[in-house]
Amino acid sequence: MPILMIIENEINTDFPSHDKGLNGLKGRLMPILKMASDICETTTSLIYMHEDSDIRILASNGINKEPVVTAVKKISGMLDLDEGLSIIQNVRDHKRVTTLLSDLEIDNVQFYAGVPIRNESGTKIGALCICDSNPRNLLDVQKNNLGVMAGAAEAHIMLFKEKELSNKNSRELKIKSAFLNNSTELTFLLEPNFGNIRDVSYDVEKVLGYSPDVLRGKSFTEIAELNGVVVDTIEQWFLTGNLQKGHYSTSVRLIDHQNRKRWFQCEFSADKNHWYVTARDINKKKVAQQGVRDLKVKLKKVVSVAKDLIYKLDWASGNLSWGDELTDVLGYPHTEKFVDYDWWIDKIHPEDLERVIRDVAQTVEGESQKAKLVYRIRTFDGPYKYVMNRIYVDRHEDGTPKNIIGAIVDVTEVVKLEEQSRRNEKSLEEKETLLAEVHHRVKNNLAMVSGMLQLQIYTETDERVQQKLIASTERIQTMATIHELLYNSSSFENLRIDENIEKIISSLVSTYEESLDMHVSFDMEPVKLNINEALPCSLIVNEVITNVLKYAFSDGGTGLLDISLIEEDETVTLKIRDDGKGLPDDFDPEGNGSSLGMELIQTLTKQLKGENLYTSLDRGVEFMLAFDKSNEKDVGFILE
């Protein structure tokens, strides 16, 4: 599902719409307007609001003619209400007003009074007005009461605006939170000006090892490698003036909780209140690129110590003379040291000839003094060599070419190495693509097998067979989580087993939610295993948890599960503790044919070259599994 759709689904839609809220405000203002008309004995009362340069009627009482509306707008636009109550007792006597109004408007509005409505900062935002088709005077008590009515209207309007702003802020916050939770990349929400982290997607703990709470409030540049250029550039982006200037992109090395640095491609974008940063892991690509650059540096060093073949070409006559290295580099005898331009052109590979002639001509005819060409040239023995030709144009005082002085060096081995490097890089990309496809198909096949077993469960009438099929489905799902872990891991030798254990247990517990209220607590260190250890360990967890849910809490109710995982001196210890019924009197940890699950636990423990132990507690049972991590590098796995 697209992120925007997810965001819309997650946002609470109980905020009142603007139109609905505005109608409610009008309903609360109407009694005030009617009372103002009654107290002042006028036919019409209304409230208008300033919106930029426009005047908008917010609510009205007694208006049934268009000339009244237009007249009030014109008068309100002219009068200055900043000093308080403004009254025009007879519009016909007010010269400025009569020049603005038509005769029809004057007939409908001959009396006008207005009291300003202000916001919390004291700025005028509108007015409460009364008007009548006849001239009149207002008593002091009427004027005072009109001010009270304006104050009541002002309170309702400001309360409406506060709620509207609060609802808008709440919605923006929910949108940002949903965006962070549903982003497929590492995503930061930053405050403007200083770039402090306001929120971050929960994947940050998996990727960089920080909990979101640890990062909130920190500057984004605190977790970026402090090389001056990049950090100074990012800090410039965070300046208020740059907030609305669009989109920025750069490569940044982010520092994880163990002070390790990894490359991320960071995309910076802003709205009026926040910066958004999405970070995509490009560390593998950067390391590969750095390897290519290092190779090129080495190759340049090789070229720099090689022997150059020097030549001089008289541009006007076309006479070409070679240095003594002609024989060493290209194999031609010294008798061919003095030749012409056509001799050189004749030796260039046909596929490179047009390009070389064009580049030489552009250099000579242009203003540049130097050029560097790489092409193939035929040797005396017949085969072609790749050469690098660095040329320098010696010009007359008027800028016309005089001589071309150049140096040629054999770079055949350099070009071959670069081509091999490009082939290796392409091969690596193809293998990574193939590996991703293999994992994808394995997951699909496991899902298909699991689905077939589930269909069999629904059609099977024998309850014992049903239970065996369910157990088999859970074991397949456990193996599928391992493949998911493999797919997300860069190495078969460093799989985070703690993450996999949590997924397995959460999945199994969720299947018993209707009959059992289970509370699960995890206290696990980040332990990395290779595939030979991760798969049997995960299957053991599957069997133990399945037995606990089936037998320790067979009567339903509530239960507790505590899972701990530690690694000390290359020894991994897993403990699973429950507060259920405890072990039965006839409990046999070896299984001995009575329980496939118990036999699997013992077989898999032996495969890990470890040991397990069941211990009865005052309430419940503790299962302990301990094994030493292996140094084997192969990634095959066979269930014995």
Side-chain angles (χ1 to χ4, degrees):
M1 182 182 293
I3 288 178
L4 289 176
M5 189 179 298
I6 295 173
I7 291 174
E8 290 301 323
N9 290 340
E10 289 192 2
I11 294 175
N12 189 346
T13 56
D14 60 3
F15 297 128
S17 68
H18 180 76
D19 291 340
K20 181 180 177 181
L22 204 57
N23 289 333
L25 174 62
K26 290 179 181 179
R28 291 189 288 274
L29 293 176
M30 288 306 299
I32 296 174
L33 292 176
K34 188 175 186 307
M35 188 176 295
S37 294
D38 293 344
I39 290 174
C40 297
E41 299 176 348
T42 60
T43 57
T44 305
S45 58
L46 57 91
I47 292 174
Y48 71 82
M49 305 297 293
H50 290 292
E51 292 184 348
D52 297 325
S53 59
D54 296 329
I55 295 175
R56 176 174 62 90
I57 303 298
L58 179 62
S60 63
N61 173 62
I63 293 181
N64 53 13
K65 296 180 179 179
E66 180 62 24
V68 175
V69 175
T70 58
V72 170
K73 286 185 177 181
K74 291 177 181 178
I75 297 172
S76 300
M78 182 199 72
L79 294 181
D80 181 6
L81 299 183
D82 287 342
E83 299 302 321
L85 176 66
S86 291
I87 297 177
I88 300 177
Q89 295 176 351
N90 189 340
V91 168
R92 296 183 185 278
D93 295 336
H94 200 293
K95 292 183 178 180
R96 284 186 61 197
V97 172
T98 55
T99 61
L100 295 175
L101 304 183
S102 66
D103 292 340
L104 183 60
E105 290 170 342
I106 294 174
D107 289 342
N108 282 274
V109 179
Q110 295 191 38
F111 168 79
Y112 173 93
V115 184
I117 293 174
R118 306 179 189 276
N119 61 19
E120 66 275 2
S121 62
T123 303
K124 185 184 71 174
I125 60 174
L128 167 63
C129 306
I130 56 173
C131 52
D132 203 295
S133 58
N134 297 307
R136 65 174 57 254
N137 292 318
L138 289 183
L139 301 174
D140 288 342
V141 65
Q142 290 174 317
K143 294 177 183 179
N144 291 335
N145 287 333
L146 187 60
V148 172
M149 295 297 100
E154 181 179 287
H156 281 295
I157 292 170
M158 295 313 299
L159 180 61
F160 169 78
K161 287 185 172 295
E162 287 179 5
K163 288 183 177 179
E164 191 177 48
L165 179 61
S166 175
N167 289 342
K168 179 182 177 182
N169 291 339
S170 296
R171 182 174 177 80
E172 287 182 353
L173 183 60
K174 290 199 173 190
I175 290 174
K176 291 177 175 67
S177 176
F179 175 73
L180 290 173
N181 291 336
N182 292 287
S183 176
T184 58
E185 297 175 331
L186 193 59
T187 308
F188 297 86
L189 178 65
L190 308 182
E191 298 286 0
N193 302 332
F194 301 108
N196 291 336
I197 298 171
R198 175 173 178 176
D199 210 344
V200 61
S201 55
Y202 289 107
D203 283 346
V204 72
E205 190 159 7
K206 183 186 298 183
V207 177
L208 297 178
Y210 304 106
S211 70
D213 289 338
V214 168
L215 290 181
R216 291 186 184 107
K218 287 183 178 291
S219 170
F220 178 78
T221 54
E222 287 186 46
I223 62 170
E225 183 180 29
L226 294 176
N227 88 15
V229 177
V230 173
V231 173
D232 289 347
T233 300
I234 293 174
E235 288 181 343
Q236 286 296 314
W237 294 345
F238 290 155
L239 297 178
T240 305
N242 292 328
L243 192 63
Q244 297 292 348
K245 290 188 178 179
H247 185 87
Y248 302 96
S249 177
T250 187
S251 298
V252 179
R253 290 181 76 184
L254 298 184
I255 306 168
D256 70 10
H257 73 300
Q258 295 182 347
N259 207 35
R260 294 172 302 192
K261 300 168 185 175
R262 290 165 57 190
W263 283 103
F264 289 81
Q265 184 66 29
C266 292
E267 307 291 335
F268 295 77
S269 57
D271 60 21
K272 64 180 180 180
N273 295 316
H274 297 94
W275 278 97
Y276 301 90
V277 183
T278 58
R280 177 168 50 87
D281 193 338
I282 58 169
N283 199 61
K284 286 183 181 179
K285 181 178 179 181
K286 277 285 188 179
V287 170
Q289 290 175 344
Q290 185 61 46
V292 172
R293 286 193 292 269
D294 291 344
L295 176 60
K296 288 183 177 180
V297 170
K298 291 178 182 179
L299 296 177
K300 286 181 180 179
K301 290 180 179 178
V302 172
V303 171
S304 67
V305 298
K307 214 170 193 181
D308 289 1
L309 169 60
I310 307 300
Y311 67 88
K312 179 181 177 181
L313 171 64
D314 185 292
W315 188 250
S317 67
N319 293 329
L320 177 65
S321 58
W322 295 95
D324 294 335
E325 297 81 12
L326 179 62
T327 302
D328 296 332
V329 176
L330 299 178
Y332 291 97
H334 285 189
T335 55
E336 300 195 45
K337 283 178 60 177
F338 300 98
V339 289
D340 58 18
Y341 182 70
D342 292 335
W343 181 95
W344 172 60
I345 292 297
D346 182 60
K347 305 297 184 292
I348 297 175
H349 195 287
E351 294 179 1
D352 300 335
L353 181 59
E354 183 179 350
R355 172 176 55 86
V356 172
I357 293 175
R358 183 187 67 244
D359 292 347
V360 170
Q362 287 178 348
T363 304
V364 172
E365 294 170 3
E367 297 180 356
S368 175
Q369 295 289 101
K370 299 178 182 180
K372 182 173 67 174
L373 312 174
V374 177
Y375 55 88
R376 288 163 288 181
I377 190 168
R378 188 171 68 246
T379 64
F380 182 73
D381 296 331
Y384 285 90
K385 281 186 175 182
Y386 276 96
V387 295
M388 179 188 293
N389 185 2
R390 294 187 294 271
I391 66 175
Y392 173 80
V393 183
D394 181 23
R395 299 181 184 276
H396 295 288
E397 289 185 2
D398 63 357
T400 57
K402 180 180 179 181
N403 298 307
I404 292 180
I405 301 169
I408 286 179
V409 62
D410 183 357
V411 293
T412 303
E413 294 302 319
V414 174
V415 173
K416 287 181 178 179
L417 285 171
E418 288 184 336
E419 289 177 348
Q420 183 62 43
S421 176
R422 285 193 292 271
R423 286 195 295 269
N424 290 343
E425 197 167 340
K426 183 178 180 181
S427 176
L428 177 60
E429 291 177 358
E430 291 173 349
K431 288 178 181 177
E432 288 180 347
T433 302
L434 180 60
L435 182 59
E437 178 64 20
V438 168
H439 282 303
H440 178 68
R441 293 193 178 192
V442 169
K443 283 187 64 179
N444 283 349
N445 289 339
L446 287 172
M448 185 180 297
V449 172
S450 178
M452 292 171 64
L453 288 176
Q454 288 173 354
L455 287 174
Q456 185 64 34
I457 292 170
Y458 296 141
T459 59
E460 183 58 55
T461 57
D462 191 321
E463 186 175 347
R464 291 185 60 191
V465 174
Q466 279 187 338
Q467 293 302 319
K468 292 181 182 295
L469 290 172
I470 290 171
S472 298
T473 302
E474 291 169 349
R475 290 167 186 139
I476 290 171
Q477 289 172 346
T478 296
M479 287 188 283
T481 60
I482 284 288
H483 279 278
E484 182 180 3
L485 198 62
L486 283 169
Y487 179 77
N488 294 323
S489 175
S490 59
S491 171
F492 285 175
E493 299 169 11
N494 293 292
L495 306 179
R496 284 282 300 275
I497 190 62
D498 53 300
E499 296 176 355
N500 200 50
I501 289 174
E502 185 168 347
K503 286 182 180 179
I504 292 170
I505 294 176
S506 299
S507 175
L508 289 171
V509 169
S510 67
T511 62
Y512 286 81
E513 284 181 351
E514 293 184 3
S515 60
L516 178 61
D517 182 12
M518 179 64 70
H519 300 279
V520 186
S521 66
F522 297 97
D523 181 16
M524 296 190 291
E525 296 179 357
V527 176
K528 294 181 179 180
L529 302 178
N530 63 38
I531 180 60
N532 290 333
E533 299 159 340
L535 189 50
C537 184
S538 299
L539 288 170
I540 288 173
V541 170
N542 180 82
E543 298 303 325
V544 172
I545 296 299
T546 299
N547 286 338
V548 169
L549 296 174
K550 286 173 60 177
Y551 302 114
F553 302 100
S554 58
D555 297 333
T558 61
L560 296 176
L561 267 177
D562 292 322
I563 293 86
S564 68
L565 180 71
I566 61 172
E567 179 185 344
E568 187 174 359
D569 297 332
E570 296 293 307
T571 297
V572 178
T573 302
L574 168 69
K575 292 183 179 180
I576 300 174
R577 177 179 297 186
D578 67 74
D579 66 343
K581 295 179 179 180
L583 297 173
D585 294 337
D586 59 348
F587 176 72
D588 181 5
E590 300 294 331
N592 291 326
S594 61
S595 170
L596 175 60
M598 296 303 298
E599 290 184 2
L600 273 175
I601 292 172
Q602 299 307 321
T603 300
L604 294 168
T605 301
K606 290 177 183 177
Q607 186 156 343
L608 287 169
K609 298 179 182 177
E611 58 182 23
N612 66 65
L613 179 66
Y614 281 90
T615 304
S616 292
L617 308 175
D618 291 340
R619 180 174 179 80
V621 177
E622 179 184 85
F623 171 81
M624 185 274 295
L625 171 67
F627 59 92
D628 293 333
K629 291 177 67 173
S630 170
N631 293 321
E632 296 178 5
K633 299 300 182 183
D634 63 275
V635 295
F637 174 76
I638 299 175
L639 187 61
E640 296 177 352

